[in-house]
Amino acid sequence: MPRDRTGDTTGDRTSDRTVVVTGGTRGVGVGIARAFAETGARVVACARRPPEQLLDGVEFAPLDVRDPAAVRAFFAALPRLDVLVNNAGGTPYRRLADADAERHARVVELNLIAPLTASLAAHEHLRRSRGSVVMVGSVSGGRPSPGSAAYGAAKAGLANLAASMAVEWAPEVRVNTLVVGMVHTELSHLHYGGPDGIAAVSRTVPLGRLAVPADIGSAAVFLASDAAAYISGASLHVHGGGERPVFLDAATVNREK
């Protein structure tokens, strides 16, 4: 295997790297931060509020990614940066006609504009370190998303932004997107209901379960590692095989009598 920039031949050593994970204090962000910390990297988790319990090997930095001035100041103060994981995001369930455009625009701001702001603020660091950006996207960006339409639109835009960024910033900076499916986190009950609802939704996934945050973390570590040195502008689907087409359950061909 070719040597990576650190002289290591394993292709996944990150012990001398600094990693920033936005939204890294809960849910998927915790899984991503923990996965990078386990490689020995210096990991900085950013969020508006501190976590209830800080992970071993992870530093916390207060930051509202929707505040451009604060984002620029945060990255300017870092001595170096090798990996930026744009994970901060999310949305409540809200049908389009149940809110005004300004409220939907805030969802787009968090899920699309904030990653752009952070990436631009981090660019010079990443250019010097020949680092990478990992965008945390969603399957909602590639299919209709009733109840979270603004979120789906933002995630669709995020994938396109990452692909364009990968071309503009090559060869110094690699940019990729994780297209994440359903994940079992501490907030899963808000989307799927209690244990019965989560179990029912899990059965719709070909692999038979929802992802856990560690699944997303492992994929993020891979995309940021030198094992993925020739991967840029890509969208890696981490969704357990996707969604079973609804028409298959309605079709009568070959159905047992």
Side-chain angles (χ1 to χ4, degrees):
M1 179 181 293
R3 288 183 178 269
D4 65 19
R5 300 180 196 100
T6 65
D8 185 73
T9 58
T10 63
D12 59 2
R13 191 171 78 115
T14 59
S15 59
D16 59 344
R17 298 179 182 176
T18 297
V19 180
V20 167
V21 182
T22 67
T25 60
R26 68 178 186 175
V28 169
V30 169
I32 294 171
R34 179 182 286 117
F36 277 104
E38 289 174 350
T39 71
R42 178 199 175 197
V43 179
V44 182
C46 301
R48 288 184 297 165
R49 292 180 291 274
E52 294 182 1
Q53 183 175 1
L54 196 62
L55 294 173
D56 290 341
V58 178
E59 305 169 31
F60 170 71
L63 180 66
D64 185 346
V65 293
R66 294 169 296 187
D67 183 341
V71 170
R72 287 190 286 268
F74 167 76
F75 284 102
L78 290 176
R80 70 170 289 150
L81 178 65
D82 300 273
V83 180
L84 169 62
V85 183
N86 281 309
N87 167 73
T91 185
Y93 180 87
R94 182 182 296 128
R95 289 189 175 272
L96 284 170
D98 292 340
D100 56 29
E102 288 82 1
R103 183 165 294 186
H104 293 301
R106 287 197 288 272
V107 173
V108 176
E109 178 187 23
L110 175 61
N111 291 280
L112 177 57
I113 305 304
L116 172 60
T117 301
S119 299
L120 289 171
H123 176 243
E124 191 57 31
H125 277 308
L126 295 171
R127 188 189 64 79
R128 286 196 299 267
S129 66
R130 298 185 72 85
S132 72
V133 178
V134 178
M135 304 289 197
V136 178
S138 171
V139 294
S140 295
R143 57 157 169 74
S145 299
S148 57
Y151 175 80
K155 291 300 188 180
L158 186 67
N160 186 274
L161 172 65
S164 299
M165 193 179 289
V167 175
E168 287 199 17
W169 291 2
E172 292 86 5
V173 181
R174 294 188 301 109
V175 186
N176 292 291
T177 301
L178 288 176
V179 182
V180 177
M182 296 179 288
V183 185
H184 193 173
T185 72
E186 66 272 22
L187 299 179
S188 292
H189 64 284
L190 299 178
H191 297 277
Y192 313 124
D196 290 344
I198 291 172
V201 171
S202 297
R203 289 192 291 271
T204 70
V205 180
L207 287 188
R209 66 175 178 88
L210 303 187
V212 294
D215 294 318
I216 314 306
S218 296
V221 168
F222 165 69
L223 282 182
S225 76
D226 285 287
Y230 200 65
I231 300 176
S232 192
S235 291
L236 175 62
H237 287 71
V238 188
H239 57 14
E243 300 176 352
R244 177 179 170 83
V246 175
F247 79 86
L248 292 177
D249 296 322
T252 59
V253 175
N254 296 325
R255 181 174 293 178
E256 291 184 3
K257 297 180 180 180

